[in-house]
């Protein structure tokens, strides 16, 4: 069973950068596709980025394309989300998730981290 723990969130000014980490434990990490989602107050959880089990096909929401980069390190069992040119509308709780099915729908993801808060000030 894979367990996920996010870290790296915090407060940053608009235009700044943050790097989120998702540390995974368990023997099956490499067989899961990984995704990042976010949820702002009063809004539904939305897809941000995903990467396939072999790291070959990253995908991004239009709202973050060109600014965010997802990657994974199999040796360290860690998935990253590099966030550049941050905007106030990026403010949300960010969640790491794992799926055997893939896709961008939250219900397709089997495992979730606890979330890490990202706040972008004006």
């Amino acid at each position: 069973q894979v367990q996920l723990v996010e870290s790296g969130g915090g407060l940053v000014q608009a235009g700044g950068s943050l790097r989120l980490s998702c540390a995974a434990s368990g023997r099956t990490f490499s067989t899961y596709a990984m995704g990042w989602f976010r949820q702002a107050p009063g809004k539904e959880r939305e897809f941000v980025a995903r990467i396939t089990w072999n790291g070959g096909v990253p995908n991004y929401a239009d709202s973050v394309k060109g600014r965010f980069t997802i990657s994974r390190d199999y040796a360290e069992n860690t998935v990253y989300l590099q966030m550049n040119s941050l905007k106030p509308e990026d403010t949300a709780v960010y969640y790491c998730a794992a799926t055997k099915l893939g896709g961008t729908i939250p219900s397709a993801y089997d495992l979730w981290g606890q979330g890490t808060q990202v706040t972008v000030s004006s």
Side-chain angles (χ1 to χ4, degrees):
Q1 184 76 18
V2 176
Q3 296 184 355
L4 309 175
V5 179
E6 303 97 330
S7 62
L11 175 64
V12 66
Q13 290 185 317
S17 298
L18 285 173
R19 189 191 195 195
L20 305 184
S21 297
C22 174
S25 62
R27 294 174 293 178
T28 60
F29 169 73
S30 63
T31 70
Y32 285 83
M34 303 296 298
W36 286 96
F37 294 78
R38 66 187 183 186
Q39 188 166 19
K43 296 184 178 180
E44 296 292 323
R45 189 168 299 185
E46 66 174 353
F47 167 76
V48 175
R50 66 170 178 166
I51 190 165
T52 59
W53 70 271
N54 63 359
V57 186
N59 193 24
Y60 302 94
D62 288 341
S63 59
V64 307
K65 192 173 297 182
R67 300 187 296 122
F68 291 10
T69 302
I70 187 172
S71 62
R72 65 192 301 171
D73 186 329
Y74 292 97
E76 298 295 331
N77 287 349
T78 302
V79 179
Y80 301 98
L81 185 68
Q82 178 67 46
M83 305 185 294
N84 298 325
S85 301
L86 283 163
K87 306 174 181 179
E89 51 262 44
D90 294 319
T91 295
V93 177
Y94 283 71
Y95 297 90
C96 179
T99 178
K100 287 283 193 179
L101 302 176
T104 61
I105 307 300
S107 62
Y109 285 73
D110 306 292
L111 304 170
W112 293 84
Q114 82 287 351
T116 185
Q117 176 70 47
V118 172
T119 302
V120 184
S121 62
S122 301

